[in-house]
Amino acid sequence: MGFVGSLLGIIGFAIGIPVGLLLGFFLFIYAEPADVEDPIVRPIDEFDTSSLLDILPEIPLWIDWLNRMISYMWPYLNKAISGIIRSTTEPMFSKYTDTFQIKSVEFKSLSLGTLPPTFHGIKVHETNENELVFEPAVRWAGNPNVTLVFQLLSLEITLQLVDIQIFAAPRVVLKPLVPTFPCFGSIVVSLMEKPHVDFGLNFLGGDIMAIPSLYQYIQDTIRRQVASLYLWPQTFEIQILAGSVGTMKKPVGILQVKVVRALNLLKMDLLGTSDPYVKLSLSGDRLPSKKTSIKMKNLNPEWNEDFKLTVKDPQCQVLQLHVYDWEKVGAHDKLGMQVVPLRLLSPHQTKGLTLNLVKNMNPNDPQNKKSRGKLEVELTFKPFREDNERFSGPLNRNGIKINTVGKASEDVPLHRAGLLLVLLQGAEDVEGKHHSNPYALVTFGGEQKKTKLIKKTRDPCWNEEFQFVLEQAPLKEKIHIEVMSKRTGFCLHRGESLGHVDINLDDVVYNGRINEKYNLINSRNGVIHVEIRWRVI
């Protein structure tokens, strides 16, 4: 009996457990508790400040701070904005002078009043570009004092703007972000939707906006005019920093330099000879100087060597040519130098020059009167083609013309030389097993270039640009980018790879530019932000 009882107990346990779980599941799903009450729903405007803060702990209280700040600054903003309006509209008024019998149009008074606009919220957009994009919700119920006087024949007609109301949602873009105060180069403003504008217009003692048909006509005209000028994608740009201040100038072309020969160089060696070579670079360029080969024991060397330099400002940059005498030990002796302003060159026209070498560029130095020989060079400046001339096809989301995938458009010059620009902006979540001191290696066409090393971080920001001068478009080619970590100080572990990515350059050739974040291979969560541009000459 003991055995039978144990067997029945085991069978009962095996059957009772699943049956109990099944019954409990159905009771949990379908049973309705009697002690649950329906929640009380109240409109949010019925809450007082403390209750609202309890249920919405992240309410943007800075909006009130921002409106207070604008209120304090409004008297000064009023004068500044009024001055901009006056200087902007005066040239427009001058176009109508002496037409339609109008002798003059001028402001009798121009003030935006005492009531500032208010912000009711701001939406910030994240992009891969070097910019800050936000969209504020702006409302302005103002009391402006704007009076415009028309001199029509011998009559003086006065129009007065009163009681204006504007509701708008502009998009504001601060770009490019630069390490110079105020940290952005320009402000670009556009409207994401047609604004609501309502105002009164006094004429001969009455408000002509009270006339229904005229009111509707003026409203529609304002909407159309504003939309044609500022509705996205139309923009209004305000330059903050000059192009030469803080912002990084973009390449505009390639300077092809052929170092032909030198004549009658100075004798620097004991045996009455020299071992000359030429270093050449562009002013304002941080890239290493280019060098010719060394011609041993030769005072009239011939090189016939070609070089390509990237030009950023052909009006201001100069080509710097330095001739040295190579020394096996110690510093190399300077044989002479000369500079060539790029503004003297015409695009796509080769210019041969025979330059008299001097010691330095000081015209009052008596040593410059000594003959140091001559240097013959041939220079050709080839500017890049504009994007709208290089590509054809529909516009993509960035406003760049694209072509059919896998097919080269006839307008895309695949066999022309150009410049490949690789900008490594930074990486995210890169972490090594033993240390995280990341830097990036860029490998392309047998060349390898490296960013600076940033210590003890998982989110490095390099913002470094590398240039590759190519003889033709890099179709069916890939660029290899690898994030590495190098030990610093006392550490037993050597450098290690934090991940890599291989980027196909076909999209760069057809679109002219890509700006993307790529997941790193052999990295858990690593991401690298890369911008690549292809410029054709």
Side-chain angles (χ1 to χ4, degrees):
M1 290 298 292
F3 173 76
V4 174
S6 299
L7 180 63
L8 292 176
I10 293 173
I11 295 174
F13 179 79
I15 297 175
I17 289 297
V19 171
L21 291 175
L22 184 63
L23 290 176
F25 173 77
F26 280 101
L27 289 174
F28 178 77
I29 295 298
Y30 295 104
E32 296 184 0
D35 58 344
V36 176
E37 299 180 357
D38 293 333
I40 300 176
V41 180
R42 294 171 56 190
I44 195 170
D45 56 3
E46 293 183 3
F47 288 86
D48 56 14
T49 302
S50 59
S51 300
L52 191 60
L53 289 176
D54 292 337
I55 64 174
L56 297 175
E58 297 183 359
I59 188 170
L61 294 178
W62 54 267
I63 289 291
D64 180 61
W65 170 84
L66 178 61
N67 289 327
R68 285 171 178 256
M69 183 184 70
I70 294 177
S71 177
Y72 295 146
M73 294 179 59
W74 182 243
Y76 308 97
L77 291 172
N78 178 18
K79 293 182 180 180
I81 297 174
S82 298
I84 293 176
I85 294 174
R86 188 183 295 272
S87 61
T88 304
T89 55
E90 283 180 353
M92 300 172 58
F93 292 159
S94 62
K95 295 180 180 180
Y96 297 97
T97 305
D98 299 330
T99 59
F100 306 107
Q101 304 299 321
I102 299 177
K103 293 185 177 181
S104 66
V105 182
E106 59 183 12
F107 285 105
K108 183 178 180 180
S109 60
L110 177 57
S111 173
L112 301 182
T114 59
L115 301 178
T118 57
F119 289 87
H120 293 263
I122 295 180
K123 179 168 61 176
V124 179
H125 295 271
E126 293 185 4
T127 69
N128 290 338
E129 306 298 331
N130 187 28
E131 62 187 18
L132 174 62
V133 182
F134 58 94
E135 296 177 4
V138 183
R139 296 182 181 181
W140 182 38
N143 54 346
N145 180 20
V146 180
T147 305
L148 196 63
V149 178
F150 295 83
Q151 191 70 31
L152 181 61
L153 295 178
S154 59
L155 299 177
E156 186 177 278
I157 301 175
T158 301
L159 290 177
Q160 185 180 15
L161 181 69
V162 295
D163 299 333
I164 188 170
Q165 295 186 16
I166 298 178
F167 303 154
R171 169 173 289 182
V172 182
V173 183
L174 308 180
K175 67 175 185 180
L177 302 179
V178 296
T180 302
F181 190 81
C183 300
F184 53 88
S186 64
I187 303 175
V188 181
V189 182
S190 59
L191 295 174
M192 303 311 297
E193 59 185 27
K194 295 181 180 179
H196 171 76
V197 181
D198 193 7
F199 57 89
L201 197 61
N202 290 339
F203 176 67
L204 298 178
D207 186 1
I208 61 175
M209 297 298 291
I211 305 175
S213 57
L214 182 61
Y215 173 81
Q216 189 62 39
Y217 172 76
I218 293 178
Q219 286 285 331
D220 294 340
T221 302
I222 291 175
R223 285 174 174 268
R224 286 195 301 268
Q225 291 297 323
V226 172
S228 63
L229 293 175
Y230 305 118
L231 190 64
W232 180 262
Q234 305 295 329
T235 60
F236 175 70
E237 183 171 357
I238 303 173
Q239 198 71 26
I240 302 299
L241 294 178
S244 60
V245 179
T247 58
M248 181 184 298
K249 289 189 176 182
K250 297 181 180 180
V252 297
I254 296 293
L255 178 65
Q256 295 181 344
V257 182
K258 182 176 183 179
V259 181
V260 182
R261 65 177 64 87
L263 302 172
N264 302 322
L265 296 177
L266 293 179
K267 302 174 183 179
M268 304 300 291
D269 296 338
L270 295 177
L271 299 178
T273 61
S274 293
D275 306 321
Y277 70 93
V278 181
K279 290 178 63 176
L280 55 156
S281 62
L282 288 174
S283 61
D285 197 345
R286 298 182 180 179
L287 297 177
S289 301
K290 306 284 187 179
K291 296 181 181 180
T292 66
S293 58
I294 302 171
K295 300 297 182 181
M296 305 299 293
K297 300 179 181 180
N298 196 334
L299 299 179
N300 299 284
E302 290 195 16
W303 288 285
N304 290 311
E305 297 181 14
D306 296 311
F307 302 91
K308 292 183 174 67
L309 304 175
T310 304
V311 178
K312 296 182 179 180
D313 191 348
Q315 296 300 318
C316 298
Q317 284 185 295
V318 298
L319 173 65
Q320 301 170 340
L321 299 158
H322 296 263
V323 184
Y324 289 92
D325 173 40
W326 179 82
E327 296 291 344
K328 189 173 183 180
V329 179
H332 300 179
D333 297 324
K334 187 174 181 179
L335 298 176
M337 66 163 297
Q338 193 53 268
V339 298
V340 181
L342 300 189
R343 64 177 179 272
L344 302 178
L345 305 178
S346 300
H348 302 290
Q349 294 183 9
T350 301
K351 188 170 185 177
L353 298 173
T354 301
L355 307 172
N356 293 316
L357 297 176
V358 295
K359 182 179 180 180
N360 52 56
M361 297 311 298
N362 183 4
N364 299 322
D365 192 339
Q367 297 192 29
N368 285 332
K369 297 179 181 180
K370 179 181 178 181
S371 177
R372 295 177 173 269
K374 300 178 183 295
L375 180 65
E376 294 184 10
V377 294
E378 294 179 359
L379 308 179
T380 307
F381 172 56
K382 294 186 176 181
F384 294 128
R385 299 180 64 183
E386 295 295 332
D387 290 345
N388 56 0
E389 296 177 359
R390 293 164 48 200
F391 307 106
S392 62
L395 292 176
N396 66 3
R397 62 184 179 182
N398 296 321
I400 302 174
K401 293 187 177 181
I402 58 176
N403 302 282
T404 306
V405 176
K407 296 182 180 180
S409 169
E410 296 180 356
D411 293 336
V412 180
L414 302 180
H415 302 291
R416 298 189 61 170
L419 182 68
L420 186 69
L421 297 149
V422 182
L423 176 62
L424 295 183
Q425 297 194 9
E428 301 173 6
D429 294 330
V430 290
E431 185 175 9
K433 295 181 180 179
H434 308 291
H435 44 71
S436 295
N437 305 310
Y439 65 95
L441 290 174
V442 182
T443 306
F444 178 74
E447 293 186 66
Q448 189 176 80
K449 302 186 179 183
K450 182 174 69 173
T451 68
K452 60 179 177 290
L453 182 145
I454 302 180
K455 297 181 180 180
K456 298 180 181 180
T457 180
R458 297 174 54 190
D459 304 307
C461 181
W462 298 297
N463 198 28
E464 293 189 38
E465 185 176 74
F466 304 103
Q467 303 173 359
F468 300 89
V469 181
L470 308 178
E471 294 298 329
Q472 61 181 10
L475 279 177
K476 298 182 180 179
E477 295 190 41
K478 294 183 178 181
I479 188 168
H480 180 80
I481 302 175
E482 185 171 10
V483 180
M484 303 287 295
S485 179
K486 183 179 180 181
R487 64 180 183 181
T488 59
F490 179 76
C491 182
L492 298 177
H493 302 282
R494 296 183 177 180
E496 59 179 302
S497 174
L498 306 184
H500 71 274
V501 64
D502 293 306
I503 303 175
N504 194 314
L505 298 178
D506 287 0
D507 289 341
V508 182
V509 175
Y510 291 125
N511 295 335
R513 175 179 177 269
I514 60 172
N515 187 3
E516 299 290 345
K517 290 184 177 181
Y518 297 92
N519 294 317
L520 292 171
I521 301 172
N522 296 334
S523 176
R524 179 179 299 178
N525 299 311
V527 175
I528 188 168
H529 187 184
V530 183
E531 179 182 355
I532 306 178
R533 301 192 302 275
W534 170 243
R535 305 298 302 274
V536 180
I537 59 177

